[in-house]
Amino acid sequence: MPSSLIFWTEWIAILSALATGLGAIPVHFVKSDSNKVKALAGSIAGGMMISASVFSLVQEGIALKIKFAFAPYSVILGLMLGALFFWFTDKSFSKTEPHLGELGRGLTKKGLLIFLAMFIHSIPEGMAIGVGFATGNFNFGLIMAIAIAVHNIPEGIAISLPLHSEGVSLKKCAVISILSSAPQPIMAVPSLLLAWIFEPLLPFGLGFAGGAMIYITMVELIPDAIKEGGKTLTAWGVMIGLSGMLLITNLLGLIDH
């Protein structure tokens, strides 16, 4: 394995993770001092998370059945275990208040759960970057990383919208968004070096991340949005977020099946 390939895989994965922080920029123009704005922000973020889970993560995982016949079943198992994991996590946070230090100051339980869901979501993305470069086609790996980097920007928006509406500063929103993508550079090089191990795990990882994000959306984002803004506003917010993320995903060519 050429050392130059390892070097470029790591740096490109780092740049991909940093792109998530750009999602905090448009949030600067959203006023967050009313319940209706908070409800709309939360529901749009929820719609984006559902769209990313179903139309990107799950579809990409099922598409791997071309290589692995068990891929659809791994995705289904991952979905259920991802939801189960966050059910336990949610119960744990309800019993004890986590101590997060200075960075976590002002971060609510909802914000922390969203961060964890996106953090887990970034693990299979990092694996995908490494496996892409492991094909031996540098351009293929580069295109994969660029697609994920651009996809990270609306994910940064999905993280920043509800956080900013809860009073978290834009600077901290950007930092938290970038940290949520930390697994990408961490997982990229090991996946490059051990593609034969990591590639079969991709369907499960994609499903697990999708299940986590859907669970958080249903338990935290949508109920809070309905409480603060009503059913109609929440429904339209979810539709805007879902359709917007789906449009971005299609424009990137990530849905190709």
Side-chain angles (χ1 to χ4, degrees):
M1 181 72 64
S3 58
S4 60
L5 182 60
I6 297 175
F7 172 83
W8 282 111
T9 300
E10 182 63 19
W11 271 107
I12 290 171
I14 290 173
L15 292 175
S16 174
L18 290 174
T20 316
L22 297 176
I25 295 176
V27 177
H28 172 72
F29 303 99
V30 179
K31 294 182 179 180
S32 58
D33 55 354
S34 75
N35 287 339
K36 287 190 178 296
V37 171
K38 290 181 181 180
L40 184 62
S43 57
I44 289 175
M48 295 176 79
M49 292 173 70
I50 292 173
S51 183
S53 300
V54 177
F55 299 116
S56 182
L57 295 176
V58 169
Q59 283 201 10
E60 289 297 309
I62 292 175
L64 288 169
K65 66 182 179 182
I66 298 173
K67 290 186 176 182
F68 310 106
F70 56 81
Y73 307 104
S74 294
V75 171
I76 294 170
L77 178 62
L79 276 168
M80 296 305 297
L81 290 181
L84 184 64
F85 174 79
F86 268 84
W87 175 61
F88 280 116
T89 304
D90 187 30
K91 287 182 64 177
S92 299
F93 285 169
S94 297
K95 294 177 181 177
T96 59
E97 189 68 26
H99 298 286
L100 304 172
E102 183 61 32
L103 181 61
R105 189 181 300 276
L107 194 63
T108 63
K109 185 188 78 168
K110 177 172 69 176
L112 181 57
L113 288 172
I114 293 171
F115 169 80
L116 287 175
M118 289 297 194
F119 187 88
I120 290 173
H121 164 80
S122 295
I123 294 174
E125 288 186 338
M127 292 165 59
I129 292 174
V131 169
F133 281 107
T135 61
N137 186 336
F138 184 85
N139 288 338
F140 177 78
L142 182 60
I143 291 171
M144 174 78 72
I146 290 173
I148 290 175
V150 176
H151 190 73
N152 281 346
I153 297 174
E155 288 176 3
I157 297 174
I159 295 173
S160 299
L161 273 174
L163 291 181
H164 187 53
S165 70
E166 295 289 339
V168 178
S169 69
L170 286 172
K171 182 179 179 181
K172 189 175 289 186
C173 285
V175 172
I176 292 172
S177 296
I178 293 170
L179 288 176
S180 75
S181 291
Q184 290 177 20
I186 293 173
M187 296 300 300
V189 170
S191 300
L192 168 70
L193 299 174
L194 299 170
W196 61 279
I197 291 178
F198 283 96
E199 191 173 18
L201 295 176
L202 265 175
F204 175 81
L206 292 166
F208 190 96
M213 291 168 66
I214 292 171
Y215 183 87
I216 295 306
T217 299
M218 299 304 297
V219 169
E220 292 288 339
L221 293 176
I222 290 180
D224 284 356
I226 291 175
K227 180 180 178 181
E228 294 173 346
K231 294 180 180 179
T232 301
L233 181 69
T234 300
W236 280 112
V238 170
M239 290 306 302
I240 291 170
L242 190 151
S243 300
M245 181 69 86
L246 182 58
L247 176 63
I248 293 169
T249 306
N250 272 290
L251 291 175
L252 285 174
L254 293 181
I255 298 179
D256 204 21
H257 319 301

